[in-house]
Amino acid sequence: MRLCIDAGGTSIRFAFIEDNQKVVIKTKYPISDFPGSDVGFLAALNTFLRQPECHEYKNRTTSLIASVAGPVKNDAAQFTNTDWRISKDQIRTNCESLFPPNVKIHLINDFEALAYGLASLEEEDLVTVFPREGHGDTKIVCGPGTGLGLAALKEKNGQLISIPSEGGHQCFPVETSIDREIREYIMEDWVSYENILSGQGLQLLFGFFCQKTNARYINELSPEEIISLYNSGNVAAKKALEEFSYTLGSFCGNMVLALGATKGVYLWGGILKSFPLEMLRNNMTRRFQQRGRSAGYLSDVPIYKIISDEIALRGCSIYASEALRG
């Protein structure tokens, strides 16, 4: 039995998963419910473990795998988009009386877990954005949400290799005149892809297009509210979503070229849950393929949107399986 944890920038998910990857209990909490940089993660963990239905599974737990939204270094992590901090030693100290002796504890990046989770995908977990066959042995998963994550999975000779990254923090390049105007609108020396492809990025794009179209700007709208405005015909919201889609296509196309990810692109992230699928199929895929002389390299690369919320949790469990093999 494995306790798998998916801690993002907005929410934290817990699941007990059998060795055969069957999820037996799953719970989700908002991260805002657990303030405190050094205690928030542990408070959420303890809240989950106090549920009566967890008791029998705690006693059978052999591994705890926590995936976190930030780079992991020396078995510790500072979350990128919240003030939480956590280390493997903190988890062990907190849990030593809750689990059987010698329980194994792993701390990994959240997109590293998502990449491992790609190996568990079934047809019902996906919606096809760009139907192609794909080839090779490398896939990428990227996710615009609170931030922008990126990781790759290489499957070769029965072995899984997940490659985490901080690719979302790469410099946002200027490909069009609109890109240049957006960079000037942001007024910062360094503009990353995450500045555009995130919840705050969609809000920024909406503000930019309100200004550009002389539309009334509605302050502090959530990404979901901006998408809702698009659905009601708001011009600035429509242009913001279009530009978001184009930029996502650029990012994914560049990452396929950088990582040789010709097996497929898998999209994940809270923003995409209600994002108009046809806009991804039209705007995103068009820009995805506009990679100059390398456009042909991308012509057979499929794009999917992940719709299951279990992928990172399953990925944590798969990571534990791979660790046992190693």
Side-chain angles (χ1 to χ4, degrees):
M1 178 64 67
R2 293 158 184 167
L3 173 55
C4 299
I5 306 169
D6 172 26
T10 304
S11 60
I12 182 168
R13 294 179 174 88
F14 297 90
F16 279 107
I17 300 180
E18 300 276 11
D19 291 352
N20 63 3
Q21 309 307 335
K22 178 184 177 183
V23 177
V24 291
I25 290 182
K26 185 174 65 174
T27 300
K28 174 183 173 182
Y29 304 120
I31 279 180
S32 57
D33 285 356
F34 304 95
S37 58
D38 290 312
V39 298
F41 178 94
L42 297 176
L45 174 60
N46 289 330
T47 297
F48 172 70
L49 292 174
R50 282 199 298 268
Q51 295 184 85
E53 57 267 35
C54 290
H55 180 72
E56 67 170 291
Y57 301 114
K58 285 190 295 184
N59 296 332
R60 295 169 47 204
T61 299
T62 56
S63 299
L64 183 155
I65 310 95
S67 66
V68 300
V72 177
K73 184 177 181 180
N74 298 324
D75 289 328
Q78 167 68 61
F79 285 61
T80 302
N81 291 298
T82 183
D83 66 349
W84 278 12
R85 294 190 297 263
I86 193 61
S87 71
K88 186 174 173 179
D89 287 342
Q90 285 176 305
I91 297 173
R92 184 172 299 282
T93 299
N94 181 78
C95 295
E96 61 184 356
S97 63
L98 301 175
F99 297 110
N102 302 318
V103 63
K104 292 180 173 60
I105 296 174
H106 306 276
L107 192 63
I108 63 175
N109 173 262
D110 59 340
F111 270 79
E112 182 177 6
L114 278 165
Y116 275 116
L118 297 181
S120 74
L121 288 171
E122 303 288 347
E123 187 175 343
E124 61 266 23
D125 297 324
L126 299 170
V127 169
T128 301
V129 176
F130 189 52
R132 293 294 185 273
E133 288 297 318
H135 62 278
D137 53 25
T138 302
K139 309 170 182 177
I140 58 171
V141 55
C142 78
T146 309
L148 175 64
L150 174 75
L153 180 73
K154 188 178 183 71
E155 301 181 64
K156 195 164 187 178
N157 300 324
Q159 184 180 12
L160 300 176
I161 302 170
S162 176
I163 307 167
S165 81
E166 289 299 308
H169 297 288
Q170 294 177 87
C171 182
F172 169 60
V174 171
E175 295 188 18
T176 67
S177 59
I178 290 293
D179 290 346
R180 185 173 290 107
E181 290 182 46
I182 291 169
R183 283 189 66 102
E184 292 171 356
Y185 176 79
I186 294 174
M187 294 189 301
E188 293 182 9
D189 293 336
W190 178 264
V191 179
S192 73
Y193 270 115
E194 185 173 278
N195 288 126
I196 309 299
L197 297 176
S198 61
Q200 288 187 339
L202 185 56
Q203 292 167 325
L204 179 148
L205 289 174
F206 177 66
F208 168 77
F209 282 109
C210 281
Q211 182 183 92
K212 190 173 177 64
T213 60
N214 296 315
R216 184 172 70 91
Y217 175 63
I218 307 171
N219 194 27
E220 296 183 356
L221 286 181
S222 69
E224 293 77 15
E225 289 170 328
I226 294 171
I227 293 171
S228 180
L229 274 181
Y230 159 78
N231 291 328
S232 66
N234 182 280
V235 174
K238 177 178 182 290
K239 289 183 176 296
L241 267 64
E242 287 175 342
E243 186 60 28
F244 190 96
S245 300
Y246 283 134
T247 304
L248 184 60
S250 297
F251 176 70
C252 291
N254 289 343
M255 295 307 99
V256 168
L257 294 174
L259 294 166
T262 52
K263 190 67 174 176
V265 173
Y266 294 78
L267 305 175
W268 168 258
I271 292 173
L272 298 181
K273 288 183 178 179
S274 58
F275 202 93
L277 185 60
E278 286 307 308
M279 194 170 286
L280 294 177
R281 286 177 170 157
N282 295 327
N283 299 39
M284 180 202 167
T285 56
R286 187 181 310 139
R287 186 69 68 83
F288 174 75
Q289 296 179 85
Q290 291 174 353
R291 300 298 98 196
R293 67 175 66 182
S294 296
Y297 187 83
L298 301 166
S299 62
D300 193 41
V301 179
I303 303 172
Y304 305 97
K305 185 175 82 165
I306 300 170
I307 57 176
S308 169
D309 64 356
E310 293 184 356
I311 302 305
L313 295 167
R314 289 189 224 155
C316 287
S317 184
I318 293 170
Y319 171 87
S321 296
E322 292 297 307
L324 285 173
R325 289 176 53 181

